[in-house]
Amino acid sequence: MGIKWDKFFITGDPLILGSQIAILLTMIGIVALVTYLKKWKWLWREWFTTVDHKRIGIMYILMGVLMFFRGGVDGLLMKAQTATADGKLLDAQHYNEVFTTHGVIMILFMAMPLLIGIMNVIIPLQIGARDVAFPQLNALSFWLTFSGAMLFNISFVIGGSPDAGWTAYFPLAGKEFTPGIGNNFYAVAIQIAGIGTLMTGINFIVTVLKMRVKGMTLMKMPMFTWTSFITSIIIVASFPILTVALALMTFDRIFGTHFFTLGGGGLDMMWVNLFWLWGHPEVYIVVLPAFGMFSEVISTFSRKMLFGYKSMVFSIVGIAFLSMLVWVHHFFTMGAGPAVNSIFSITTMMIAIPTGVKIFNWLFTMRKGRIQFTTAMLWALAFVPCFIIGGTTGVMLAMGAADYQYHNSLFLVAHFHYVLIPGVVFAVFAGLYYWWPKMFGHMLNEKLGKLHFWFFVIGFNMTFLPMFFLGLDGAVRRSYTYSAETGFGPLMLVSAIGAGILAIGFGFLCYNIYWSARYADRNISSDPWDARTLEWATASPAPFYNFAKLPEVKSLDAFWYMKKNNDGLELRENEIKEIHMPSNSGLPIIMAIVFGIAGFFLIFEWKIAALVAALGIIAGLIVRSFDYNDGFHVPVDEIKATEKAWRKVDKEVKDHVS
Amino acid sequence: MTQVFGFVLSLVLTFAALFVALKTSLSFNAIIWIIGTLAVIQAALQLFMFMHLKDGEDSKAQTINILYGIFIAVVTVAGSIWVMSFGM
């Protein structure tokens, strides 16, 4: 099969050798620790085989935080390299690999898992469901995403990292110009994770359409549910394009076809076209759920109903529609002619309209509200001005003619970081601080949270604001070095220091998670923020069946009115009935492992081995189709005991705030 | 009843396409346009007559699904062709 063992492990770079040793030791350490604590059975039973949407969500979030760390280290390496003129830390090849993996990991393995994780935990609770529509498929989605992420991450110690940018433009990404196997990792690992994401999209569309509790019409859904629903629709519309594009890339690289090559009738720009046909909707896939989180947080902490609910819904539907019509603005410089570029300039600028509507809605929600400056609310407040900077520069970039000047400069890099970090990362942080008690039964420390906030926001602005000016002065992206004569040095240094401050902020988050897990007060109310939506109408953390008695929705912000009218919060003994829940299954994780192995063989172009492993995937599908286990019933006594534990004497939702 | 009507209409459309393709001496382009149009009409017809697009509680959602699917397909295919031929 022509295995090139000498190319298997990456050798010769002290940084990578260090990482290889560190990874090996960490793996041995984890296995030893779990064995020592005798936790393997517990892990398998409670986590690896779980189909509970809350646990799957928590695993997504854990993965997202880990990947944030990995992608963040990549970012810091880039900043350290360009902090001074003619930096010597990384060579050109290593720098190429680092900015490629930074981009892929931050978008696909950090932003998406964190958002999908929070969606998983919260959406079924918000719509009063007991789980998602297809719980086992949900587990498979997670494990495939995880499998893809791990496959992508091992690339830098085994086989070599992809190095053609996160966009992997042809012809550079083709076999002709990138002969190693690094880019095979890109083609295959993202494919596996993408299948998982596509299934998540289908799952959540069905969940939201079919499993809403009695009385919750579409226009009474919480805003986060709305945005996640629309996001799922965009996922189902756009991810198949990525699937096809990556499959064609795989054929080109591994089987010698000519879809995107220079010779043989290939069309290299077709890759760019297909990539952004997926890639631009992808931006809205990550930013829409984040908008939903801000809506929940702002409305809760302004103690007001969300302003302009209907216009909010119409603008997200509008954004979803327009998101499919703007992709060419990523490659105006292809020079597709005045007609094409003008049309796509206009559609791009049009997106600013519904987005602006949303910004004003948030501002009017806060107007005359009694704002509480919790950490979650601080993130939402910082989001508005930072995101407006990102949005305004986006409109500048949308002008086709002017884009020739900004294209591939640091101005562009600053723009999309100003959109994605406030738009997604701030939202995820706000969501984590807000929903942490719902997931774990304790809050994150507010003091540490505020340190996290200030370091992160100041560091973020310090890192990326100088990049606008550097870009206008002509500094290009993806360039590993620059000479002192360019005069970029001082601003680059400011930017690098900012990145350090940002990293300290992230450190505070990690410490906060650790500190709160150990010392935070467990005796808190199940509704610590005095919130408005249904996820707070049950215990924190929610029991595995979510609701002992399904609530009935009569208005928007259902839980708020249930509290106000003291209606439907009590649980009478005779109301408790058996609850039907899905059984755990080991099949998803096994299938994901088989997917990972088949993918690994394909990456190394061991085609027959990959084919054999792929038979395992089909075997998994067959096993699943003969699976007649349709779950189990939770007995009434167990529900009674669980509910008694948190409802206390008055049998109402626990209401005190410690 | 609607099924019979739909069946007859489908037959008429199919034979019309066959006739245009085999028995006329129109240009190639015109033939392609005519039989393409007939095909689209027949596909829409079958959605209504046989595939119960308008029946059941989900008829609204189904209609939106179909329209959205068509929108995505047109954007992806026609959009790509238009962009990649540089707007010609």
Side-chain angles (χ1 to χ4, degrees):
Chain A
M1 288 194 290
I3 305 170
K4 302 185 191 79
W5 288 107
D6 54 318
K7 289 200 183 148
F8 195 74
F9 285 106
I10 301 296
T11 48
D13 188 317
L15 276 175
I16 290 180
L17 185 70
S19 318
Q20 281 167 333
I21 295 169
I23 289 171
L24 195 71
L25 288 180
T26 314
M27 273 174 12
I28 294 173
I30 290 172
V31 171
L33 189 72
V34 175
T35 313
Y36 176 74
L37 294 172
K38 299 201 176 76
K39 290 285 188 190
W40 281 113
K41 253 199 184 132
W42 171 82
L43 261 185
W44 177 260
R45 205 179 52 236
E46 300 289 325
W47 293 94
F48 289 171
T49 61
T50 188
V51 292
D52 181 343
H53 68 95
K54 299 176 286 297
R55 295 206 163 163
I56 291 171
I58 288 169
M59 290 193 287
Y60 263 118
I61 290 167
L62 187 67
M63 172 185 156
V65 173
L66 283 176
M67 289 296 112
F68 200 149
F69 181 76
R70 161 77 212 269
V73 170
D74 285 341
L76 286 178
L77 277 174
M78 283 191 276
K79 280 287 143 204
Q81 163 70 18
T82 55
T84 51
D86 298 312
K88 296 277 186 298
L89 180 65
L90 306 171
D91 56 28
Q93 172 61 21
H94 201 161
Y95 192 80
N96 290 348
E97 292 175 5
V98 166
F99 71 66
T100 303
T101 52
H102 172 79
V104 172
I105 286 174
M106 283 304 199
I107 292 284
L108 288 156
F109 301 133
M110 185 280 281
M112 301 273 299
L114 280 172
L115 292 166
I116 291 179
I118 295 177
M119 273 163 69
N120 254 299
V121 177
I122 300 303
I123 298 292
L125 288 166
Q126 274 196 337
I127 61 173
R130 299 208 189 280
D131 208 319
V132 292
F134 310 112
Q136 196 170 327
L137 190 73
N138 197 23
L140 183 62
S141 289
F142 167 71
W143 287 111
L144 283 182
T145 310
F146 185 74
S147 174
M150 290 302 109
L151 205 54
F152 191 83
N153 270 280
I154 58 165
S155 68
F156 88 110
V157 288
I158 296 174
S161 290
D163 56 359
W166 91 278
T167 48
Y169 277 9
F170 278 81
L172 176 63
K175 204 80 182 167
E176 269 178 285
F177 297 97
T178 310
I181 58 161
N183 255 44
N184 293 352
F185 273 107
Y186 179 98
V188 176
I190 296 179
Q191 185 73 287
I192 292 173
I195 297 170
T197 309
L198 185 55
M199 292 191 300
T200 302
I202 296 168
N203 215 337
F204 276 92
I205 291 179
V206 181
T207 306
V208 171
L209 282 180
K210 293 285 181 192
M211 298 183 67
R212 293 191 313 276
V213 77
K214 197 177 161 201
M216 186 179 276
T217 55
L218 282 176
M219 290 311 268
K220 287 191 185 120
M221 291 198 306
M223 192 46 64
F224 179 56
T225 303
W226 251 117
T227 55
S228 301
F229 172 56
I230 299 292
T231 294
S232 307
I233 292 176
I234 311 180
I235 287 178
V236 173
S238 68
F239 262 75
I241 305 173
L242 178 73
T243 305
V244 170
L246 284 173
L248 298 182
M249 178 194 243
T250 312
F251 283 135
D252 264 14
R253 288 192 55 88
I254 297 175
F255 302 105
T257 54
H258 290 279
F259 291 108
F260 306 128
T261 52
L262 284 180
L267 200 56
D268 52 340
M269 283 309 284
M270 194 61 188
W271 163 265
V272 180
N273 181 67
L274 290 177
F275 181 87
W276 287 116
L277 256 170
W278 160 78
H280 199 84
E282 165 71 11
V283 176
Y284 294 94
I285 290 169
V286 293
V287 91
L288 281 183
F291 284 173
M293 289 179 205
F294 284 130
S295 302
E296 303 289 346
V297 166
I298 287 174
S299 147
T300 300
F301 295 115
S302 303
R303 328 221 60 71
K304 278 176 69 191
M305 209 166 152
L306 188 67
F307 183 90
Y309 177 88
K310 267 190 190 160
S311 64
M312 213 65 149
V313 172
F314 286 126
S315 52
I316 46 176
V317 174
I319 289 175
F321 179 74
L322 285 172
S323 76
M324 297 301 296
L325 298 173
V326 297
W327 76 95
V328 177
H329 69 219
H330 294 272
F331 51 103
F332 278 143
T333 50
M334 179 174 86
V340 173
N341 279 6
S342 318
I343 296 261
F344 282 93
S345 284
I346 292 166
T347 52
T348 306
M349 289 181 209
M350 274 162 70
I351 285 203
I353 299 168
T355 318
V357 168
K358 296 174 80 69
I359 295 273
F360 280 113
N361 280 341
W362 289 316
L363 293 178
F364 282 126
T365 307
M366 285 188 261
R367 182 166 179 270
K368 290 197 175 173
R370 269 174 290 144
I371 297 177
Q372 290 172 313
F373 290 96
T374 57
T375 311
M377 186 63 178
L378 285 181
W379 287 112
L381 289 174
F383 152 76
V384 174
C386 293
F387 188 80
I388 287 174
I389 297 177
T392 319
T393 49
V395 177
M396 289 168 72
L397 283 156
M399 291 180 277
D403 183 69
Y404 277 74
Q405 194 62 35
Y406 307 130
H407 191 79
N408 261 358
S409 70
L410 287 187
F411 186 85
L412 166 82
V413 176
H415 153 70
F416 69 70
H417 282 90
Y418 257 91
V419 176
L420 285 173
I421 294 181
V424 181
V425 180
F426 285 14
V428 166
F429 288 152
L432 287 180
Y433 281 94
Y434 180 58
W435 280 308
W436 202 262
K438 194 80 257 167
M439 291 187 271
F440 298 101
H442 65 83
M443 295 194 190
L444 285 173
N445 183 292
E446 284 285 303
K447 207 178 239 169
L448 286 169
K450 278 169 187 157
L451 280 171
H452 168 210
F453 170 79
W454 285 112
F455 272 91
F456 200 93
V457 171
I458 291 172
F460 156 71
N461 279 294
M462 215 171 131
T463 309
F464 295 105
L465 204 60
M467 283 187 162
F468 283 121
F469 303 103
L470 283 166
L472 291 178
D473 281 343
V476 291
R477 72 195 288 210
R478 294 173 174 174
S479 160
Y480 85 109
T481 187
Y482 55 93
S483 66
E485 291 81 62
T486 54
F488 299 154
L491 282 178
M492 284 283 199
L493 188 62
V494 171
S495 172
I497 295 168
I501 297 173
L502 188 102
I504 295 171
F506 181 70
F508 274 115
L509 172 68
C510 296
Y511 180 67
N512 198 352
I513 292 174
Y514 165 79
W515 190 93
S516 304
R518 278 198 72 159
Y519 304 113
D521 185 7
R522 258 57 177 183
N523 187 27
I524 56 162
S525 149
S526 61
D527 174 28
W529 308 115
D530 197 8
R532 316 176 72 84
T533 40
L534 278 184
E535 73 268 30
W536 302 100
T538 184
S540 296
F544 66 96
Y545 49 75
N546 289 359
F547 298 96
K549 173 188 75 168
L550 292 179
E552 205 184 319
V553 174
K554 299 198 179 95
S555 65
L556 202 62
D557 288 343
F559 183 51
W560 182 260
Y561 288 98
M562 284 162 84
K563 285 191 286 190
K564 214 169 151 186
N565 307 330
N566 200 5
D567 172 25
L569 290 172
E570 289 167 53
L571 181 68
R572 274 180 288 279
E573 296 248 314
N574 59 1
E575 287 176 326
I576 300 177
K577 297 203 173 64
E578 281 195 351
I579 295 173
H580 183 211
M581 294 298 290
S583 310
N584 284 2
S585 166
L587 196 59
I589 184 170
I590 293 170
M591 282 199 49
I593 292 170
V594 176
F595 255 100
I597 293 170
F600 187 80
F601 289 148
L602 192 61
I603 286 165
F604 279 85
E605 304 181 14
W606 303 336
K607 291 161 198 165
I608 296 174
L611 195 69
V612 174
L615 290 178
I617 299 170
I618 294 171
L621 295 175
I622 292 170
V623 170
R624 172 68 180 135
S625 63
F626 285 102
D627 181 3
Y628 295 111
N629 182 346
D630 63 348
F632 64 97
H633 289 267
V634 190
V636 173
D637 289 337
E638 193 187 332
I639 302 170
K640 270 186 196 163
T642 318
E643 293 297 311
K644 217 174 242 164
W646 70 276
R647 280 179 187 260
K648 305 284 171 183
V649 270
D650 55 359
K651 288 184 183 165
E652 276 188 27
V653 174
K654 232 184 347 177
D655 229 354
H656 81 276
V657 179
S658 61
Chain B
M1 193 58 219
T2 46
Q3 272 88 349
V4 176
F5 183 65
F7 180 61
V8 172
L9 219 56
S10 298
L11 282 180
V12 170
L13 286 165
T14 308
F15 280 107
L18 212 59
F19 174 79
V20 172
L22 298 178
K23 299 284 181 194
T24 57
S25 50
L26 293 164
S27 73
F28 178 77
N29 250 339
I31 290 178
I32 291 291
W33 274 105
I34 292 169
I35 64 175
T37 315
L38 291 174
V40 171
I41 294 172
Q42 188 170 156
L45 194 82
Q46 299 209 350
L47 278 175
F48 284 108
M49 302 283 184
F50 303 129
M51 296 185 190
H52 307 285
L53 187 67
K54 281 280 170 202
D55 302 341
E57 50 181 320
D58 282 342
S59 68
K60 214 166 146 192
Q62 282 171 7
T63 315
I64 294 173
N65 275 350
I66 295 276
L67 289 177
Y68 186 62
I70 293 171
F71 166 70
I72 297 292
V74 168
V75 165
T76 317
V77 178
S80 292
I81 293 172
W82 186 53
V83 171
M84 293 312 294
S85 59
F86 282 49
M88 300 300 173

